[in-house]
Amino acid sequence: MSFSFFRPSRPKTPQELVKATKDSLAALDTKTVVEVKALEKALEEVEKNFQTIRCMLSGDGEVEPNPEQISQLALEVCKEDVIALIILNLHILGWETRKDIVYCWSILLKQKVGSTYCCIEYIENHFDLLDSLVICYDNKEIAVNSGNMLRECIKFPTLAKYILESASFELFFKFVELPNFDVASDAFTTFKDLLTKHGDIVAEYLDGHYNEFFTLYEKLLTSSNYVTRRQSVKLLSEFLLEPPNSHIMKRYILEVRYFKVMMMLLKDTSKNIQISAFHIFKVFVANPNKPREVKVILAKNHEKLVSLLHDLSTGKGADDEQFDEEKELIIKEIDRVSRLPNLEH
């Protein structure tokens, strides 16, 4: 008598696993799934398949992952359009499934087959999927999952460049101020990565979209939301002071309107905001080619600025020494400007 039915079933090959995953994702189509039970069954299948994919990618604690299987898995998810199906169905999937997907996504994107990152190549051929991921921030249930997936994409220059230059990039100026704190924070983390991960690409983007970008950014700096102001001025001081953006900084510090914004932030009730604003304010003041209007503003506010700067301190030991040195130089320059003749107060 055979007892073969007690034996564990043969593990699926990467091809079989991806095909089963594709079928289970396709079964979620709300146009064809009319019964609740059918949808529940399809969701269970998707969850089970992604648990298996996760296990194949990371091992199960006893068996190490097989590099050949991982490469085959990466090829198959592209061939079967599973990458697109994941993004399009993210809003239907359960929390555990989305968590497994985010984990698998991170590994698959980094997977090189030969000399090619096949999943990155797939997304490059379907750039609209990145727009879909960005728009997911509008759905608070999946926003953090899609944010994690986006940040993995942004690690690759071609994908970051597409998002920066796409119409959907402007949505971040809205998403970072969403009422849901977790979603807004996650959106800002992604926004920051876009503006700091690839210096040359960011410099090229800012060069071509200077007016539109900084007009939108000014709204963040002057937001009524304290967190938005604090994060935005800190981020501005980070990416604007980067060497690839030196020509952008030179242009920025000639803009009187932005100088006035820094003056306002320098007077903020938050010390963190004041200190971040100072790091940009000092470049306006130290600029040997200051516009006349900037000199007039400095002269007019001379006493108040000197008093404010004397009281400003980071309270961070050695860092405070450098900060104090910079402060003294800026105070001397403000004093010098205030004594210039022919400046109308």
Side-chain angles (χ1 to χ4, degrees), residues 155-170:
K155 290 175 182 176
F156 297 86
T158 53
L159 306 191
K161 181 178 169 69
Y162 172 80
I163 299 170
L164 276 171
E165 295 180 346
S166 71
S168 59
F169 176 62
E170 282 193 19

Side-chain angles (χ1 to χ4, degrees), residues 6-221:
F6 286 121
R7 293 176 191 160
S9 58
R10 175 183 65 82
K12 286 186 173 78
T13 64
Q15 292 94 326
E16 291 168 341
L17 180 54
V18 172
K19 181 69 170 66
T21 304
K22 179 183 182 177
D23 291 344
S24 60
L25 285 165
L28 296 173
D29 190 338
T30 50
K31 292 173 187 171
T32 56
V33 178
V34 289
E35 293 184 15
V36 174
K37 284 185 179 178
L39 180 60
E40 286 176 355
K41 187 176 185 304
L43 286 168
E44 283 174 16
E45 284 299 309
V46 174
E47 182 174 355
K48 188 171 70 177
N49 286 325
F50 275 106
Q51 284 172 351
T52 309
I53 290 175
R54 178 172 183 154
C55 193
M56 190 176 282
L57 288 171
S58 60
D60 60 4
E62 294 179 7
V63 181
E64 288 293 308
N66 181 324
E68 284 184 22
Q69 283 192 328
I70 295 174
S71 294
Q72 194 60 46
L73 203 57
L75 286 170
E76 292 296 321
V77 295
C78 297
K79 180 183 164 188
E80 296 291 343
D81 290 319
V82 168
I83 289 178
L85 286 169
I86 286 171
I87 294 171
L88 298 175
N89 288 288
L90 204 58
H91 65 290
I92 306 173
L93 303 174
W95 186 79
E96 282 293 339
T97 307
R98 294 199 305 269
K99 196 169 74 169
D100 283 337
I101 284 172
V102 169
Y103 180 87
C104 296
W105 183 267
S106 169
I107 295 174
L108 289 169
L109 256 59
K110 297 186 188 86
Q111 186 59 35
K112 218 171 184 179
V113 181
S115 61
T116 307
Y117 291 101
C118 54
C119 294
I120 301 304
E121 192 174 70
Y122 178 90
I123 297 171
E124 287 171 349
N125 291 323
H126 302 82
F127 271 137
D128 57 307
L129 293 174
L130 293 172
D131 296 309
S132 298
L133 273 178
V134 172
I135 292 165
C136 285
Y137 273 118
D138 260 333
N139 183 339
K140 66 181 180 182
E141 299 302 321
I142 60 171
V144 174
N145 302 121
S146 65
N148 277 305
M149 292 164 73
L150 264 175
R151 288 191 291 279
E152 289 298 328
C153 293
I154 290 165
K155 290 175 182 176
F156 297 86
T158 53
L159 306 191
K161 181 178 169 69
Y162 172 80
I163 299 170
L164 276 171
E165 295 180 346
S166 71
S168 59
F169 176 62
E170 282 193 19
L171 293 172
F172 279 99
F173 291 92
K174 178 188 84 168
F175 294 149
V176 299
E177 292 214 85
L178 286 170
N180 184 297
F181 179 78
D182 290 336
V183 175
S185 297
D186 195 278
F188 198 91
T189 302
T190 305
F191 184 60
K192 179 179 177 179
D193 278 6
L194 280 165
L195 292 169
T196 56
K197 287 286 181 190
H198 309 284
D200 291 339
I201 289 171
V202 173
E204 185 185 337
Y205 164 74
L206 292 174
D207 214 23
H209 302 81
Y210 179 90
N211 288 326
E212 309 97 283
F213 176 82
F214 284 108
T215 298
L216 288 167
Y217 207 94
E218 183 181 2
K219 292 176 183 174
L220 299 183
L221 294 170

Side-chain angles (χ1 to χ4, degrees), residues 316-330:
K316 290 182 179 177
D319 286 346
D320 216 29
E321 287 180 25
Q322 185 185 342
F323 185 77
D324 285 343
E325 286 174 15
E326 290 177 349
K327 258 191 348 181
E328 287 309 310
L329 287 172
I330 295 305

Side-chain angles (χ1 to χ4, degrees), residues 164 192 194-208 210 213-214 235-253 283:
L164 276 171
K192 179 179 177 179
L194 280 165
L195 292 169
T196 56
K197 287 286 181 190
H198 309 284
D200 291 339
I201 289 171
V202 173
E204 185 185 337
Y205 164 74
L206 292 174
D207 214 23
Y210 179 90
F213 176 82
F214 284 108
L235 175 58
L236 183 66
S237 68
E238 287 175 22
F239 76 81
L240 212 49
L241 296 170
E242 281 294 303
N245 293 324
S246 58
H247 64 298
I248 302 294
M249 172 60 101
K250 285 175 184 173
R251 186 173 172 183
Y252 189 82
I253 60 174
V283 188

